[in-house]
Amino acid sequence: MARLRNRNLKIEKQSWQPVGIESLEDNALIAVKAERSSIVVAGPGAGKTELLAQRADYLLRTDTSKSPRRILAISLKRDAAKNLQDRVGKRLPAELAERFDSMTLDAFSKNLVDRFRLAIPEFWRPNDDYRIEFNIKEERADRMIREAAQRLNCEPADVAGIGPIRWYRECFSLRLPIDGSAILENGSIREQLAVSQWQHYLHGKYRYLNFHMIARLAELVLRTNPAVLHAMRATYSHVFLDEFQDTTNLHYDLLRTAFLESDSVLTAVGDTKQCIMTWAGALAGITKRYSEEFAADPYVLRANYRSEPELIHIIGSLAQQIEPEAILPICGRGRESGNGQCRVIAFSDDAEEAIAIALVLNELVEDEGVEPRDICVICRKFVGQYSSNLVEALQQINGLARVRDETKLQDLLAEPLVELVVDAFLVAVSDEPQPDSWSRLQSVLEKTGRSDSTQQQRIRNKLLSTLIDCLRLSLPQCEKTDDGIKVEVNRVIDAIGEKSFRQSHPQYRQGTFFEETVSNVVKQLGYRYGDEPHQFGTWTDVIGDLLGETSIPVMTIHKSKGLEYHTVIFVGLEDAAFNNLKDPAGDANAFFVAFSRAKQRVLFTFAKSRFRRKQSRKNVNLLYGWLEEAGVGIENASDIKFDESIW
Ligand SMILES: Nc1ncnc2c1ncn2[C@@H]1O[C@H](COP(=O)(O)OP(=O)(O)OP(=O)(O)O)[C@@H](O)[C@H]1O
């Protein structure tokens, strides 16, 4: 049935047109239709992610990705993966969009490990109840290195004096040999320590795995199981690699084992100037290596569709500071000038700065009518501290604008389980129709169901309507406690079917992540629903607040990657935030990423005293110099009236 419907939807290659946009620049169009593997290199706002969405459209509509084969899109961040899935889902009919799998590299790896755990050689096989360790702190890594040394009866100094965090990372950089015991016997001390640490994680008391380990295990699964490798290659006719510049050594190993010398066609997109993962081992020269090994054709894009011409000019100038050979971008909308502005303002201290930013934010929201979600406050570190200063300042001026620390919620909101609950609640409580939420709910049911016959579809619609009717009655009477809210969340999960939902989402198949996500979303809803002054009485407001519709996000540069905003306010262009400028591939690129998120305006701030400490601009002077060369000088806050528009 699916095949028949797809055949009806098929169009000829020459009749295909870009969907949802007017046109693509020439090279982008060639890359969309390319028959061989390729690497698309382009600056910020060039439409790299958009190009992937268009390519998915082209490959599926023209049946170039022959049904039932699928497209795999790999991103590094959960929200980026979701964003791409949403773009494709919105444009293609469900029968075609269903053949597009957008996921993070971590999810791709975990899926392989969980499905084929028993095919992993025993020495490396994790238990099925392993837990995930997300971050590691310096002290804990230090303790681990000592314990590992103790297990091997040697001194921590024997690991040649590298810092604990670097040691921890190096433990997992090892490409796993099938038989690890040989290393334990004959490897160098460093290798023995690494394998001992692996064994401690796999078979020790805690049974933790981190995502470096999971990527290594996934690579081992594919390398040692020809049938699994063959099945995966047969499934995916095309593979997309987003933000390719941030690919690490161990991720590249996995991709190589998975697809090198297969018939899968790869499309990588990236911008070396936006590489901000060198600290996590992003591979230098990755683009060149990939181009050679996969015989990928290079395509360079020049347009910038995001920013106003004035900002594009600065972006071009900064790009050439980072890479002298960088090609200058041109405005994708064909304009020579517009309303772009960039300002750099120095304050005497962070209190004065917070009030000024609060006034600027308020002016934008209240007087100019910019949507809070279209503004972003970026800081390099300590998002909590920076946002608390701003919250206070916004309270003092008593305006409409509100900010919130986005770092905590961004990943949670990108979780399919949270999206499911929010969509169901939203459809149930909203006075307006919610077509996007409704169609996402339908596709969840479709994905979790076994057949797509018309009769099944009718049953699914009925089931969904029953759930929504139930929620309409129960949500307004829901007890204002976490327990009460949990009943409602479970109502949604039960209606969809917990087992099949978990099965169709690799991240929930194993371990306690599903339960943790349920408890997190309950907590977040509970925090918002109630009679306390910071809480809301209606579910529409609760959901709106959870989605952050009414507040301005504050986030790190890392979290801002791939996103775009009308105005970007970068707080603290100071040495304390940028201390690695000797590493041009690190902080300078981060600065470039932050700047290039803006469509219309960018404001950088400097506070001579922050958190009661004197701040300097010695290291960061390089960046001030770059801005000056691009025509942006530093202004003194005392010369500016912040109670009027500064733009
Ligand atoms: N061909 C096009 N025509 C019109 N608008 C486009 C086109 N391509 C992309 N855009 C728009 O330009 C903006 C930037 O696109 P996109 O996010 O895909 O760029 P990117 O290259 O991935 O950016 P970055 O690397 O900076 O994150 C988006 O708002 C997108 O909708």
Side-chain angles (χ1 to χ4, degrees):
M1 183 72 178
R3 207 169 285 191
L4 186 68
R5 270 197 271 154
N6 287 356
R7 208 179 312 139
N8 291 342
L9 292 168
K10 185 182 164 184
I11 60 169
E12 294 306 316
K13 287 183 185 176
Q14 59 273 22
S15 330
W16 183 85
Q17 293 290 333
V19 186
I21 49 173
E22 273 173 32
S23 60
L24 285 161
E25 68 174 283
D26 292 349
N27 273 353
L29 190 62
I30 299 173
V32 161
K33 298 184 173 186
E35 294 188 357
R36 289 155 37 102
S37 290
S38 61
I39 168 92
V40 179
V41 181
K48 296 181 289 297
T49 311
E50 183 59 39
L51 183 147
L52 294 180
Q54 297 292 337
R55 181 155 167 77
D57 194 278
Y58 170 79
L59 296 172
L60 292 168
R61 273 188 212 270
T62 59
D63 207 33
T64 307
S65 165
K66 289 232 171 312
S67 175
R69 291 186 85 186
R70 307 174 71 82
I71 300 173
L72 170 67
I74 292 191
S75 303
L76 297 180
K77 283 173 35 188
R78 270 186 262 177
D79 56 343
K82 178 168 152 16
N83 180 324
L84 194 50
Q85 186 86 53
D86 286 350
R87 283 197 206 193
V88 171
K90 266 192 190 153
R91 291 172 191 176
L92 276 162
E95 300 93 302
L96 295 179
E98 181 278 322
R99 283 169 44 214
F100 184 73
D101 296 329
S102 179
M103 60 184 89
T104 59
L105 224 146
D106 289 344
F108 172 70
S109 315
K110 187 168 186 301
N111 189 19
L112 279 169
V113 170
D114 292 343
R115 282 180 65 193
F116 304 107
R117 194 181 59 84
L118 294 176
I120 298 175
E122 217 174 319
F123 187 87
W124 300 110
R125 189 181 306 150
N127 267 41
D128 66 350
D129 61 352
Y130 70 83
R131 287 190 287 168
I132 303 281
E133 180 173 79
F134 287 94
N135 288 312
I136 178 98
K137 294 230 162 68
E138 180 111 14
E139 312 86 81
R140 196 162 126 69
D142 190 45
R143 199 166 358 108
M144 277 181 190
I145 194 171
R146 284 170 196 289
E147 284 168 6
Q150 214 173 28
R151 284 196 298 275
L152 293 176
N153 287 327
C154 62
E155 291 297 316
D158 287 341
V159 292
I162 56 172
I165 291 282
R166 204 176 128 205
W167 170 79
Y168 171 81
R169 273 199 210 112
E170 276 196 14
C171 280
F172 311 110
S173 63
L174 183 78
R175 194 167 194 251
L176 302 181
I178 298 176
D179 178 15
S181 52
I183 301 192
L184 268 185
E185 278 159 30
N186 307 319
S188 67
I189 285 285
R190 206 118 123 203
E191 285 169 345
Q192 286 186 37
L193 275 166
V195 174
S196 153
Q197 190 55 37
W198 262 96
Q199 291 301 305
H200 186 62
Y201 263 48
L202 289 168
H203 309 301
K205 200 162 89 190
Y206 298 113
R207 295 185 181 150
Y208 276 113
L209 297 188
N210 58 39
F211 279 107
H212 304 293
M213 299 173 80
I214 291 174
R216 281 288 173 221
L217 291 171
E219 193 276 334
L220 187 65
V221 166
L222 294 175
R223 183 160 32 97
T224 52
N225 294 280
V228 176
L229 183 66
H230 178 78
M232 198 197 52
R233 290 176 168 190
T235 304
Y236 293 116
S237 64
H238 293 80
V239 180
F240 297 172
L241 306 167
D242 199 7
E243 308 264 19
F244 190 63
Q245 74 281 347
D246 281 331
T247 304
T248 62
N249 195 6
L250 100 190
H251 286 157
Y252 186 68
D253 264 357
L254 171 60
L255 295 170
R256 224 173 153 272
T257 303
F259 299 111
L260 191 65
E261 284 160 17
S262 70
D263 77 338
S264 311
V265 178
L266 273 64
T267 308
V269 300
D271 177 10
T272 42
K273 299 177 295 305
Q274 292 188 60
C275 175
I276 57 172
M277 301 292 279
T278 38
W279 57 271
L283 205 54
I286 178 81
T287 315
K288 189 163 174 283
R289 187 167 165 207
Y290 159 80
S291 302
E292 285 168 6
E293 293 188 336
F294 284 83
D297 295 326
Y299 299 102
V300 178
L301 311 185
R302 277 197 73 183
N304 177 322
Y305 292 96
R306 172 179 301 139
S307 309
E308 289 287 300
E310 293 77 7
L311 297 188
I312 296 177
H313 166 76
I314 303 173
I315 289 171
S317 171
L318 297 176
Q320 290 196 333
Q321 298 284 0
I322 298 174
E323 281 178 9
E325 69 285 5
I327 296 172
L328 288 178
I330 50 170
C331 176
R333 299 179 201 279
R335 286 190 285 128
E336 297 284 319
S337 64
N339 298 315
Q341 285 185 64
C342 172
R343 296 185 74 163
V344 185
I345 303 178
F347 295 87
S348 54
D349 60 32
D350 49 352
E352 185 195 24
E353 177 198 57
I355 288 286
I357 295 176
L359 288 166
V360 170
L361 293 177
N362 214 47
E363 221 271 333
L364 279 169
V365 173
E366 246 177 72
D367 299 339
E368 287 200 47
V370 180
E371 288 293 328
R373 292 308 284 176
D374 210 11
I375 306 170
C376 180
V377 177
I378 298 182
C379 33
R380 188 80 173 104
K381 310 174 176 172
F382 311 130
V383 172
Q385 266 170 298
Y386 283 96
S387 52
S388 70
N389 269 358
L390 258 179
V391 170
E392 260 176 51
L394 285 164
Q395 275 164 357
Q396 271 183 47
I397 65 163
N398 200 17
L400 277 183
R402 299 198 301 136
V403 291
R404 81 167 183 194
D405 175 352
E406 200 71 0
T407 46
K408 292 185 192 130
L409 284 172
Q410 206 176 33
D411 282 346
L412 184 71
L413 291 175
E415 274 308 314
L417 175 62
V418 178
E419 183 173 70
L420 168 75
V421 171
V422 166
D423 277 335
F425 279 26
L426 202 58
V427 173
V429 299
S430 193
D431 295 332
E432 311 274 313
Q434 298 290 336
D436 288 350
S437 295
W438 180 259
S439 74
R440 274 196 298 265
L441 288 169
Q442 279 181 319
S443 58
V444 169
L445 271 181
E446 201 160 323
K447 209 169 160 193
T448 49
R450 271 177 286 277
S451 132
D452 71 343
S453 74
T454 319
Q455 203 188 7
Q456 284 278 331
Q457 202 161 334
R458 250 187 251 126
I459 297 171
R460 281 198 293 267
N461 277 342
K462 180 107 203 319
L463 199 144
L464 217 46
S465 304
T466 313
L467 167 67
I468 299 301
D469 287 346
C470 262
L471 288 172
R472 264 192 197 126
L473 290 176
S474 62
L475 278 174
Q477 294 167 26
C478 164
E479 221 179 88
K480 290 175 177 167
T481 62
D482 284 5
D483 284 345
I485 291 167
K486 195 166 181 189
V487 172
E488 302 306 321
V489 169
N490 279 337
R491 202 186 295 285
V492 179
I493 297 171
D494 292 345
I496 301 296
E498 179 180 330
K499 200 164 161 218
S500 45
F501 188 77
R502 288 173 81 130
Q503 276 309 315
S504 57
H505 294 86
Q507 63 269 55
Y508 306 137
R509 271 197 209 130
Q510 172 284 337
T512 53
F513 189 57
F514 184 86
E515 288 77 9
E516 283 162 28
T517 310
V518 170
S519 124
N520 270 339
V521 71
V522 166
K523 212 159 81 195
Q524 289 299 337
L525 291 168
Y527 173 73
R528 289 170 172 78
Y529 185 52
D531 304 320
E532 299 294 322
H534 73 276
Q535 293 181 315
F536 302 94
T538 74
W539 278 102
T540 327
D541 290 345
V542 170
I543 303 284
D545 190 70
L546 179 64
L547 295 176
E549 277 162 4
T550 52
S551 45
I552 297 162
V554 188
M555 63 178 78
T556 58
I557 297 178
H558 194 252
K559 293 272 178 201
S560 77
K561 268 204 107 183
L563 305 176
E564 59 187 19
Y565 300 91
H566 173 279
T567 298
V568 166
I569 299 187
F570 187 99
V571 187
L573 188 56
E574 298 149 4
D575 283 355
F578 287 87
N579 41 19
N580 281 329
L581 267 177
K582 284 166 211 128
D583 164 21
D587 277 354
N589 290 7
F591 167 75
F592 185 68
V593 168
F595 186 97
S596 57
R597 300 307 93 206
K599 291 186 255 184
Q600 200 158 321
R601 292 170 188 163
V602 189
L603 166 63
F604 288 103
T605 69
F606 169 81
K608 286 177 194 144
S609 153
R610 184 177 304 284
F611 308 132
R612 304 223 171 100
R613 282 214 200 105
K614 194 168 174 297
Q615 296 298 315
S616 63
R617 291 201 296 252
K618 213 163 131 235
N619 294 342
V620 96
N621 243 340
L622 181 74
L623 303 179
Y624 280 95
W626 289 359
L627 283 171
E628 208 166 329
E629 282 217 14
V632 188
I634 309 176
E635 301 169 76
N636 258 324
S638 51
D639 300 332
I640 300 169
K641 286 189 181 149
F642 287 97
D643 47 3
E644 293 169 9
S645 171
I646 66 156
W647 306 106

